[in-house]
């Protein structure tokens, strides 16, 4: 496929009579990539670039890293200004924001359908980057969620791995209270200012703040009601959680052993492994919403994908790069899994050796295989373009819910604020 | 610098998402009046303003006068120490404040140890206490900043004036109110207006320490503008409209401050 | 000295020491942090550790320190110099040559100061792009030079500038420029010192605008680098602390050197 593409672009160049000097200039190409987190996203991109050197030695990849919020600021300012000068060729975008960018800056991103076979990727990752039948992303890291738990603490309380398989939230809250009374450990960290947990709950029930058509889906949405109700039950049981504020405290709550479990995305695996508690951790599927028909023990949190800018002068190379390394190279995904703990969304990679391996840190569990299995079960939902707006509206009601306010009232208020914010 | 401002004024009459904008007349103003989040942000911002501006000016002034007195030993040390918070980077400052005010952080532990508290307070998890933390953080960071302007201005007071006052037996408190304050008036007015503008544009502290939460208790107008521009579906037009609310507030408040400080001749 | 005076003096020292302690503590904690592991920093550990060398090595491995410091210093020094010249001249002019028209211009300027930067960022970016200045030092320096804030500061401070001095200089036959450079600047030394500190600090820490206009690793300033390091999924706060100390020192040195002028300020300069 790569060769075909190259020869066809060569043919076009020749047919359009472009001079030899222009071609020479085109040969030594540099693809600029904006991303955040050098150790995670940056390292995988460097690995990919090295592999692409073997396919096309004339192309170098230039990585510029900023904070995640900064990448978004730069991109948004620049797209809004209508100036393409200085834009990169490839940019990393978080999945929740994908539709927002694609719909508010139409024509700014390049569809990749001609270089990527999307049937080989997790469905939900493809759906979130598609508009009108075109798909714009090379799906990258998955946010498939797991219930990371301290097997030693749960063991002390009398729970085995099997007791956490295929359970409902009702059961999980019961277990949490029991673990607290027997060991004194709260079960998870909760940031009352963050709606992330609620998003996990909702997606596990195959629902979101919006209908597939993009309309608000808050009132009379049984999944949203059940998710908010479950979350408010957790908030009303202060003994089972540790209140924290912000990302740093969140990470430190489980890396320094203050809580017995955490429900989070697979990208947290490397961090947990770095916390120096080998053999004391296990991973179980997340609980499902017992009261919602069709709720599954799998969901998603975060995750991001690569996009090619339509203004890019090197977009053909950029597309070829993404398509040939990121789109097909299963061996590449084994490498980044081992080195960075990055779980990509290419389904074929699941059959590779690294995915089959068991991990002593997690007591010999075949962690990656479990995650890939759950990855296939994540319900696809429409993240829409207003997720952050509704998140804010939800967060405003959380302190009241923690004090026992009625869920129906809260939904009413969330809906009212969301309506005014999403016009 | 004029051109971008005119453009932003024009933008405030545009509606739409991202690049798809069109002329919307007064629709942004209508949206503003029906926007509960805007009013929450406005009330929070004004609360911070009312507490913060007088506190910072008063503390800065007192410290400057004390540190200007030639009889105080170690002035250079104290001046530099009190200025330190201004130069401490935002990253270090926000990690520190968050860890100090964490549920099991040093503040709670100390208060419990001296029996001022029975149970730990979730400082950043409760709307009221989160506001308190922000106020403490701003006071900590900006008092030294105001102090600098007063210190510089105090140099303009001729030592002969103090000498005369001392000989006439004017008590120190009266010296402060009748001599120092009137001479510093232009600079006090300057810091009052600058602090007003700074507080109305309050962003760094709330974005980094509380992210506007919990329940929007620390959401300020500037943070809301930021959210409208970068976190939410980009609506630059509406964000510009909210910005001009700040401009309007500054215009009114500065006018009042100039009026209060006018030369009474 | 009466007993009352003594008590009062003691109280002043106690209060000063308290204020100094509260102010220094976070700075101290930052230095302690640079000697600890990331996990200890998050836990709020307040005692020295043995990680300093490792943190420094890690920091140097992930940051091109020379180019980052050069960029920050070049931008801050250039901007400070031009801002002081341009804005003090403007502030002096507004105060010394008052007219109803200038008052109105000044009021408008003051209002411009109150527009949140986020609101004018997009148009400013377009302007810079049209002038071909994206990813250049000029794009950062130019928009900050005529600082309304500093103009306002000089205008207010000039109110204390003795009018007799200017009149005397005029009689001596100095023209307005000579008055400004030879009389005004030396007399207003402490004002200049304060302004230098403020402007230097503002530009050294400037974040949002450099972030938007700088596009390559070679042009990054230290604030951008630290922000990127601190926002990883699992940030290494040990090296972030090393970075923040490096980012803080220059402003601190500028302050320490210039604060002496506050004491020596005017005394003796008027002859």
């Amino acid at each position: 496929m790569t060769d075909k593409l190259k020869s066809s672009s060569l043919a076009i160049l020749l047919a359009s009579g472009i001079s030899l000097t222009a071609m020479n200039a085109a040969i030594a190409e540099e693809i600029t990539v904006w991303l955040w987190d050098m150790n995670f996203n940056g390292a995988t991109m460097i690995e990919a670039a090295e592999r692409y050197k073997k396919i096309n030695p004339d192309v170098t990849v230039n990585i510029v890293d900023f904070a995640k919020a900064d990448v978004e600021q730069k991109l948004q300012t620049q797209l809004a200004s209508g100036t393409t000068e200085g834009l990169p060729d490839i940019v990393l975008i978080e999945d929740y924001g994908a539709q927002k960018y694609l719909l508010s800056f139409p024509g700014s991103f390049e569809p990749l359908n001609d270089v990527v076979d999307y049937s080989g990727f997790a469905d939900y990752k493809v759906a979130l980057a598609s508009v009108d039948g075109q798909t714009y992303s090379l799906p990258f890291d998955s946010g498939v969620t797991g219930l990371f738990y301290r097997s030693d603490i749960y063991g002390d309380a009398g729970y085995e791995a099997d007791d956490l398989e295929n359970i409902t939230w009702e059961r999980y809250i019961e277990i949490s209270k029991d673990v607290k009374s027997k060991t004194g450990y709260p079960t998870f960290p909760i940031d009352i200012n963050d709606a992330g947990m609620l998003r996990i709950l909702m997606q596990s029930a195959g629902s979101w703040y919006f209908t597939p058509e993009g309309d608000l889906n808050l009132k009379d949405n049984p999944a949203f009601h059940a998710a908010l109700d479950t979350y408010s039950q957790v908030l009303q049981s202060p003994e089972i959680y540790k209140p924290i504020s912000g990302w740093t405290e969140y990470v430190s709550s489980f890396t320094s052993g203050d809580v017995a479990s955490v429900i989070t995305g697979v990208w947290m695996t490397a961090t947990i492994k770095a916390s120096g508690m080998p053999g004391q951790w296990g991973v179980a599927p997340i609980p499902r919403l017992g009261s919602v028909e069709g709720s599954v023990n799998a969901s998603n949190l975060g995750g991001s994908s690569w996009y090619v800018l339509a203004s890019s002068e090197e977009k053909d190379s950029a597309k070829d790069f993404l398509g040939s390394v990121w789109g097909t190279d299963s061996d590449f995904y084994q490498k980044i899994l081992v080195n960075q703990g990055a779980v990509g969304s290419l389904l074929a990679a699941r059959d590779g050796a690294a995915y089959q391996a068991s991990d002593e840190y997690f007591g010999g569990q075949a962690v990656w295989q479990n995650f890939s299995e759950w990855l296939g079960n994540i319900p696809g939902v429409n993240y829409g373009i207003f997720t952050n707006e509704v998140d804010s509206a939800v967060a405003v009601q959380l302190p009241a819910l923690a004090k026992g306010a009625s869920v129906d009232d809260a939904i009413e208020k969330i809906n009212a604020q969301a309506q005014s914010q999403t016009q | 610098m004029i051109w971008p401002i005119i453009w932003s004024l024009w933008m405030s009459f545009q509606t739409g998402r991202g690049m798809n904008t069109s002329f919307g007349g007064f629709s942004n103003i209508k949206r503003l009046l029906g926007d509960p989040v805007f009013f929450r942000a406005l009330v929070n911002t004004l609360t911070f303003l009312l507490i913060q501006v007088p506190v910072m000016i008063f503390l800065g002034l007192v410290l400057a006068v004390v540190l200007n007195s030639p009889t105080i030993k170690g002035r250079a040390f104290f001046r530099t120490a009190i200025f330190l918070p201004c130069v401490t980077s935002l990253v270090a400052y926000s990690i520190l404040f968050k860890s100090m005010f964490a549920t099991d952080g040093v503040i709670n532990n100390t208060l419990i140890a001296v029996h001022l508290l029975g149970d730990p307070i979730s400082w950043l998890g409760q709307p009221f206490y989160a506001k308190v933390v922000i106020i403490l953080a701003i006071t900590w960071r900006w008092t030294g900043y105001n102090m600098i302007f007063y210190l510089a201005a105090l140099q303009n007071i001729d030592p002969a004036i103090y000498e005369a006052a001392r000989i006439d037996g004017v008590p120190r408190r009266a010296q402060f109110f009748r001599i120092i304050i009137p001479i510093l008036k232009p600079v006090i007015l300057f810091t009052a207006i600058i602090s007003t503008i700074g507080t109305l544009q309050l962003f760094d502290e709330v974005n980094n320490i509380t992210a506007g939460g919990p329940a929007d208790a620390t959401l300020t107008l500037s943070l809301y503008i930021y959210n409208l521009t970068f976190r939410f579906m980009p609506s630059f037009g509406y964000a510009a409209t909210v910005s001009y609310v700040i401009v309007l507030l500054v215009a009114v408040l500065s006018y009042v401050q100039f009026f209060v400080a006018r030369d009474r001749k | 000295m009466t007993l009352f005076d003594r008590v009062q003096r003691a109280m002043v020292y106690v209060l000063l020491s308290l204020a100094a302690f509260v102010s220094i503590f976070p700075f101290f904690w930052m230095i302690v942090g640079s000697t600890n592991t990331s996990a200890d920093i998050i836990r709020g550990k307040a005692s020295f550790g043995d990680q300093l060398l490792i943190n420094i090595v890690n920091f140097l491995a992930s940051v091109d320190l020379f180019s980052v410091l050069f960029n920050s210093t070049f931008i801050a020094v250039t901007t400070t110099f031009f801002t002081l010249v341009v804005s003090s001249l403007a502030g002096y002019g507004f105060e010394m040559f008052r007219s109803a028209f200038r008052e109105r211009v000044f009021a408008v300027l003051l209002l411009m100061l109150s527009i949140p930067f986020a609101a004018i960022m997009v148009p400013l970016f377009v302007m810079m792009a049209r002038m071909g200045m994206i990813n250049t030092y000029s794009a950062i320096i130019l928009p900050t030079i005529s600082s309304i804030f500093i103009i306002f500061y000089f205008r207010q401070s000039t109110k204390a500038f003795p009018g007799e001095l200017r009149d005397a200089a005029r009689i001596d036959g100095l023209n307005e420029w000579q008055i400004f450079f030879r009389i005004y600047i030396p007399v207003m030394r402490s004002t200049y010192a304060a302004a230098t500190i403020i402007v230097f600090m503002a530009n050294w820490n400037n974040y949002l605008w450099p972030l938007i206009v700088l596009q390559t690793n070679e042009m990054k300033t230290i604030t951008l680098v630290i922000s990127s390091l601190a926002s990883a999924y699992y940030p290494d706060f040990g090296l972030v602390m090393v970075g923040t100390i490096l980012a803080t020192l220059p402003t601190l040195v500028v302050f320490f050197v210039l604060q002496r002028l506050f004491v020596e300020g005017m005394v003796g300069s008027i002859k």
Side-chain angles (χ1 to χ4, degrees):
Chain A
M1 191 171 104
T2 317
D3 287 340
K4 210 171 76 191
L5 192 87
K6 259 202 290 193
S7 59
S8 68
S9 57
L10 192 67
I12 292 167
L13 282 175
L14 290 174
S16 56
I18 287 172
S19 74
L20 213 62
T21 45
M23 270 191 61
N24 274 334
I27 280 172
E29 281 182 31
E30 187 181 72
I31 300 174
T32 302
V33 184
W34 284 358
L35 49 74
W36 62 88
D37 198 342
M38 271 317 272
N39 292 329
F40 189 83
N41 299 315
T44 57
M45 202 24 127
I46 289 171
E47 172 67 25
E50 273 163 21
R51 284 166 186 260
Y52 191 61
K53 270 233 152 15
K54 289 173 202 139
I55 301 170
N56 188 348
D58 299 322
V59 175
T60 51
V61 175
N62 171 33
I63 294 171
V64 190
D65 68 303
F66 299 97
K68 175 171 160 278
D70 293 355
V71 173
E72 290 165 358
Q73 285 179 25
K74 284 178 76 73
L75 191 65
Q76 206 142 314
T77 308
Q78 211 155 349
L79 291 176
S81 75
T83 3
T84 55
E85 188 194 332
L87 276 175
D89 305 301
I90 295 176
V91 65
L92 187 64
I93 295 179
E94 194 183 37
D95 290 344
Y96 293 127
Q99 290 283 323
K100 180 179 84 171
Y101 284 101
L102 294 174
L103 290 174
S104 40
F105 302 108
S108 297
F109 299 93
E110 194 68 12
L112 305 179
N113 300 66
D114 52 342
V115 290
V116 179
D117 174 16
Y118 284 109
S119 65
F121 284 91
D123 282 343
Y124 86 102
K125 289 284 281 192
V126 177
L128 63 89
S130 299
V131 173
D132 297 335
Q134 298 278 16
T135 304
Y136 293 83
S137 81
L138 189 294
F140 175 40
D141 82 309
S142 154
V144 52
T145 48
L147 165 58
F148 293 85
Y149 65 95
R150 288 280 299 281
S151 45
D152 52 342
I153 296 175
Y154 275 74
D156 289 345
Y159 293 97
E160 299 301 320
D162 278 353
D163 297 326
L164 296 172
E165 288 287 328
N166 199 21
I167 57 172
T168 62
W169 268 93
E170 291 72 22
R171 176 73 186 134
Y172 185 45
I173 293 175
E174 258 174 50
I175 296 178
S176 301
K177 288 180 174 165
D178 193 35
V179 168
K180 171 73 186 184
S181 68
K182 285 181 181 155
T183 67
Y185 278 96
T187 296
F188 32 62
I190 296 268
D191 186 342
I192 197 129
N193 202 21
D194 182 49
M197 183 79 108
L198 190 74
R199 281 184 253 155
I200 298 178
L201 290 168
M202 242 183 331
Q203 192 165 1
S204 75
S207 181
W208 199 253
Y209 301 137
F210 313 101
T211 62
E213 292 73 40
D215 300 319
L216 274 180
N217 187 22
L218 303 168
K219 284 169 91 170
D220 308 318
N221 175 355
F224 181 63
H225 189 284
L228 203 59
D229 189 43
T230 304
Y231 197 36
S232 74
Q233 283 173 34
V234 172
L235 290 175
Q236 285 169 40
S237 320
E239 71 275 19
I240 63 170
Y241 69 88
K242 176 182 160 77
I244 52 96
S245 172
W247 184 256
T248 316
E249 261 191 78
Y250 173 70
V251 174
S252 115
S253 70
F254 48 85
T255 52
S256 51
D258 295 342
V259 294
S261 77
V262 60
I263 291 178
T264 190
V266 62
W267 31 261
M268 195 58 95
T269 313
T271 305
I272 288 173
K273 285 180 73 168
S275 66
M277 291 180 260
Q280 291 167 269
W281 282 94
V283 188
I286 64 158
R288 65 175 185 280
L289 285 171
S291 59
V292 181
E293 189 82 16
S295 172
V296 294
N297 293 86
S299 189
N300 177 74
L301 179 67
S304 52
S305 303
W306 305 105
Y307 293 76
V308 175
L309 274 300
S311 62
S312 158
E313 280 168 22
E314 277 83 32
K315 66 182 165 197
D316 290 328
S317 308
K319 283 166 74 174
D320 185 50
F321 166 54
L322 289 182
S324 54
V325 178
W326 293 88
T328 51
D329 190 343
S330 173
D331 186 50
F332 162 68
Y333 284 99
Q334 311 300 313
K335 186 85 182 268
I336 61 172
L337 180 74
V338 173
N339 289 350
Q340 276 79 43
V343 173
S345 308
L346 183 68
L347 298 173
R350 298 191 289 189
D351 303 327
Y355 277 83
Q356 308 296 327
S358 61
D359 193 328
E360 283 313 313
Y361 195 88
F362 295 97
Q365 210 181 336
V367 186
W368 305 118
Q369 212 182 354
N370 290 340
F371 274 118
S372 345
E373 193 191 313
W374 305 331
L375 175 64
N377 298 336
I378 301 173
V381 296
N382 176 16
Y383 288 147
I385 52 180
F386 291 119
T387 286
N388 285 336
E389 280 87 337
V390 184
D391 261 1
S392 298
V394 169
V396 169
Q397 301 306 325
L398 293 180
L401 286 171
K403 292 208 175 91
S406 129
V407 172
D408 289 309
D409 285 355
I411 291 179
E412 202 64 46
K413 286 177 185 153
I414 293 167
N415 192 53
Q417 178 171 338
Q419 265 172 351
S420 95
Q421 292 281 295
T422 58
Q423 53 185 299
Chain B
M1 285 302 285
I2 302 274
W3 164 241
I5 290 167
I6 295 171
W7 186 328
S8 74
L9 197 58
W10 167 245
M11 286 283 290
S12 69
F13 291 101
Q14 305 278 313
T15 56
R17 300 163 182 178
M19 285 300 278
N20 322 317
T21 54
S22 60
F23 188 77
F26 291 101
S27 65
N28 280 330
I29 293 173
K30 231 192 243 155
R31 177 173 168 187
L32 193 73
L33 296 175
D35 182 352
V37 184
F38 164 72
F39 283 103
R40 274 202 288 270
L42 182 67
V43 169
N44 290 339
T45 308
L46 293 178
T47 311
F48 287 133
L49 180 87
L50 282 178
I51 299 175
Q52 214 60 61
V53 174
V55 166
M56 283 190 306
I57 290 179
F58 181 73
L59 275 181
L61 201 55
V62 168
L63 285 169
V65 170
V66 169
L67 288 177
N68 193 53
S69 151
T71 55
I72 299 284
K73 293 199 179 73
R75 275 175 302 160
F77 165 76
F78 284 121
R79 276 197 296 256
T80 311
I82 290 165
F83 185 68
L84 261 175
C86 286
V87 296
T88 309
S89 94
L90 196 60
V91 182
Y93 156 60
S94 52
I95 302 173
L96 180 75
F97 264 79
K98 279 165 102 166
S99 76
M100 282 188 343
F101 286 96
T103 314
D104 47 9
V106 63
I107 302 280
N108 271 337
N109 292 346
T110 313
L111 290 179
I112 290 170
V114 298
H115 298 291
L116 277 174
L117 269 187
D119 291 312
I121 295 179
S122 173
W123 289 96
L124 299 170
Q126 291 183 25
F128 173 76
Y129 290 113
K131 275 201 184 77
V132 173
V133 172
I134 293 295
I135 287 173
L136 289 175
I138 305 171
T139 311
W140 177 78
R141 189 156 176 239
W142 295 109
T143 299
Y145 188 81
N146 280 331
M147 181 187 78
I148 302 226
F149 295 113
Y150 302 134
L151 271 175
L154 282 171
Q155 293 308 312
N156 295 324
I157 300 181
D158 194 330
I161 296 181
Y162 291 118
E163 192 58 18
R166 204 179 58 79
I167 291 165
D168 291 352
V170 180
R172 211 168 291 156
R173 184 165 303 167
Q175 280 181 27
F176 183 76
F177 285 107
R178 291 213 219 117
I179 301 173
I180 298 179
I181 301 256
I183 292 181
L184 291 191
K185 203 165 75 179
V187 173
I188 294 177
L189 175 65
F190 165 75
T191 52
I193 290 175
I194 292 301
S195 302
T196 303
I197 294 176
T199 316
L200 286 175
Q201 296 189 359
L202 182 64
F203 174 76
D204 283 348
E205 282 80 4
V206 286
N207 187 42
N208 286 283
I209 298 176
T210 57
D216 285 354
T218 56
L219 180 78
T220 60
L221 287 174
S222 252
L223 185 56
Y224 188 43
I225 291 168
Y226 176 87
N227 286 344
L228 286 170
T229 320
F230 295 118
R231 266 191 72 221
F232 295 170
M233 171 58 97
S235 40
F236 295 98
Y238 186 52
T241 309
V242 180
S243 304
Y244 277 93
V245 172
I246 296 187
V247 176
L248 199 70
L249 285 172
V250 171
V252 172
L253 291 170
S254 309
Y255 181 78
V256 171
Q257 286 165 345
F258 269 112
F259 185 76
V260 170
R262 74 196 185 281
D263 298 319
R264 293 182 187 84
K265 276 172 187 158
Chain C
M1 204 186 260
T2 66
L3 180 69
F4 179 71
D5 275 350
R6 263 171 224 256
V7 171
Q8 217 177 16
R9 270 184 81 77
M11 268 173 60
V12 165
Y13 278 110
V14 168
L15 285 179
L16 276 182
S17 307
L18 194 72
F21 173 77
V22 170
S23 301
I24 290 180
F25 179 71
F27 194 73
F28 165 76
W29 183 81
M30 200 161 87
I31 293 171
V32 169
S34 68
T35 69
N36 279 315
T37 61
S38 197
D40 283 336
I41 294 170
I42 297 167
R43 255 178 246 137
K45 182 182 166 207
S47 57
F48 285 97
D50 53 4
Q51 299 286 309
L52 179 62
L53 218 59
I54 299 173
N55 287 334
I56 292 179
V57 169
N58 287 344
F59 181 78
L60 292 179
S62 46
V63 175
D64 180 0
L65 189 62
F66 179 77
S67 105
V68 162
L69 283 183
F70 176 80
N71 290 336
S72 282
T73 312
F74 181 80
I75 290 170
V77 170
T78 321
T79 321
T80 307
F81 178 76
F82 284 110
T83 307
L84 284 187
V85 172
V86 172
S87 302
S88 70
L89 204 52
Y92 175 78
F94 270 117
E95 184 58 29
M96 284 296 174
F97 309 99
R98 291 172 95 152
S99 73
F101 173 70
R102 289 203 187 88
E103 289 297 306
R104 246 169 258 144
V105 171
F106 188 76
V108 172
L109 283 180
L110 207 53
L111 279 186
M112 282 167 56
L113 181 60
S114 60
I115 301 174
F117 186 69
I120 57 166
M121 204 165 58
V122 173
L124 196 60
F125 185 85
V126 174
M127 202 165 86
M128 289 299 153
R130 290 205 182 130
M131 287 154 69
M133 295 208 296
I134 299 304
N135 204 30
T136 61
Y137 294 125
S138 321
I140 300 178
I141 296 168
L142 275 184
T144 38
I145 281 183
S146 84
S147 158
I148 298 162
F149 170 61
I150 296 300
I151 295 177
F152 183 27
Y153 176 50
F154 273 97
R155 184 191 167 154
Q156 294 302 99
S157 302
T158 304
K159 288 185 196 293
F161 179 67
E164 316 87 69
L165 266 181
R166 188 178 66 155
D167 297 339
R170 280 194 183 141
I171 291 164
D172 288 349
L174 294 179
N175 67 32
E176 293 299 331
W177 289 103
Q178 287 168 323
I179 294 175
F180 180 77
F181 284 105
R182 293 209 205 140
I183 313 276
Y184 180 80
I185 292 184
V187 168
M188 303 299 284
R189 238 167 38 191
S190 59
T191 302
Y192 275 92
T196 308
I197 293 166
I198 298 299
V199 178
F200 183 85
M201 188 178 85
N203 286 291
W204 180 268
N205 294 334
N206 196 359
Y207 177 69
L208 193 52
W209 181 237
L211 166 73
I212 302 295
V213 287
L214 297 181
Q215 312 279 22
T216 58
N217 288 329
E218 295 73 41
M219 294 295 288
K220 277 188 189 172
T221 60
I222 191 144
T223 29
L224 296 185
V225 168
I226 291 175
S227 158
S228 170
L229 288 175
S231 77
Y233 291 128
Y234 189 43
D236 182 342
F237 284 113
L239 65 100
V240 170
M241 286 301 143
V242 171
T244 52
I245 291 174
L246 279 173
T248 307
L249 279 182
T251 349
L252 205 58
V253 169
V254 169
F255 178 83
F256 195 76
V257 169
L258 290 177
Q259 56 103 11
R260 282 158 200 282
L261 287 180
F262 295 148
V263 213
E264 291 148 14
M266 199 144 137
V267 190
S269 67
I270 313 169
K271 290 266 162 67

